[in-house]
Structure formats: C-alpha cells, structure tokens
Amino acid sequence: MDLYSSLATGGALFSIPQEEISEPRRLFETLGASGITVWISTPSFARMCLMQPNFQRQMLPHVRKFWFCGETLAPEVAAELLRRFPGAEVWNTYGPTEATVATTSVQITEEVIARHNPLPVGQAKPASRIVICDENDQPVATGGRGEIIIAGANVASATSVAPI
C-alpha cells in the first residue's frame, strides 16, 4: 500500500528505523523532521504515537491523510487523530494477507465514529468483489456474520502461485 502508491504518484517514501521506534525522543525528532504528507501504518503504531502530547499538527504540519490497515482501527484513535490534526483525513482499510493490498477503504469522519463501533472497513475497490459466506460457503444476508471472501484482480489465483 505504501510502496506502490508512492511510486505511482511520484512520491518519496520515509521509513523509520526500528531502533528509533524504541527510543521515543529520537522517534518524534525524526517524525518532526520528516515532512510527510501521507501517514501509512497500523493503528497500534498511531496509538503509541498519540501517547506523546506533541504528536499533533505542529509536529507534522504537512500531513493530509492517515491510512490504516493490518489491525482494527479503534474509534478513540481515529477521533483523537481528527482532533489533533484538523483538516487531515483518516482512512480505514481492510486487506488480508492473501490479497496483499487494501481491498476496502472508507474515510472515517466524526459522523462515522458517532454511528459505528467497531468502525466500518468500507466498500470494495473497483475490480474487487467481497462476499460474506457462512460455514457452508453460502452468502449470508446483509448484516450477517461469516467469513470474508475476496475476489478480483488483486487476489492471485491458486494456479498462478508458484510452489515453494
């Protein structure tokens, strides 16, 4: 999600070394000097950053969007980001390992936070299809629970995967 979107738009990647993550002072100095415009991470990393009161618009004045994938985005994390970074967008995505990309996305606004807990993961991207199936691999009714099945161009077919 980060690598290809950056390459496709002519952006630059900014990666934080592991040793800086374990030293909060260095981490926040590095973030403050980064000039990033789009933040892509897991929600837990953002939650950790939110423990620092300086993690706000003044530290990252150019950030326009926060993109999250890989874990459940908690409503309180999204709400705090919206509060600390006025004007920035918060996006929640879903994409399992077998898809290797975010297959769904939705912008999280204050209205979405007020209406949903847990937060929604959004609608399928173009050329993707999502079906929720029961234990018999049959689609469930709208609002039903089951296994998420993803089909489309972003999922490799079993026959196209080389054996290990």
Side-chain angles (χ1 to χ4, degrees):
M1 189 162 89
D2 48 7
L3 177 63
Y4 295 112
S5 60
S6 183
L7 290 173
T9 60
L13 291 171
F14 184 85
S15 183
I16 300 171
Q18 183 64 38
E19 59 272 5
E20 289 190 19
I21 293 172
S22 60
E23 290 188 43
R25 185 183 59 75
R26 282 181 60 199
L27 169 65
F28 292 109
E29 285 174 1
T30 299
L31 283 173
S34 70
I36 64 170
T37 58
V38 178
W39 172 289
I40 301 172
S41 77
T42 59
S44 59
F45 185 71
R47 182 185 293 274
M48 181 191 80
C49 290
L50 285 167
M51 289 191 275
Q52 165 66 290
N54 293 359
F55 185 69
Q56 56 183 303
R57 174 61 71 196
Q58 289 78 7
M59 178 185 283
L60 299 171
H62 306 291
V63 73
R64 299 182 330 250
K65 294 182 182 187
F66 289 90
W67 284 88
F68 295 105
C69 200
E71 303 167 350
T72 301
L73 176 59
E76 62 272 13
V77 170
E80 189 64 12
L81 286 168
L82 291 171
R83 187 183 74 75
R84 290 193 193 186
F85 294 89
E89 297 175 0
V90 174
W91 287 80
N92 196 23
T93 68
Y94 170 77
T97 302
E98 62 272 20
T100 68
V101 296
T103 300
T104 70
S105 64
V106 62
Q107 184 176 356
I108 303 299
T109 62
E110 291 176 6
E111 294 78 22
V112 171
I113 294 168
R115 286 194 334 251
H116 300 281
N117 190 3
L119 293 175
V121 294
Q123 300 296 316
K125 292 181 177 182
S128 295
R129 190 169 53 92
I130 295 181
V131 179
I132 310 298
C133 291
D134 63 19
E135 61 278 355
N136 298 315
D137 292 330
Q138 298 302 307
V140 299
T142 300
R145 293 179 169 253
E147 183 177 1
I148 299 172
I149 307 297
I150 299 173
N154 61 334
V155 180
S157 69
T159 59
S160 67
V161 178
I164 297 176

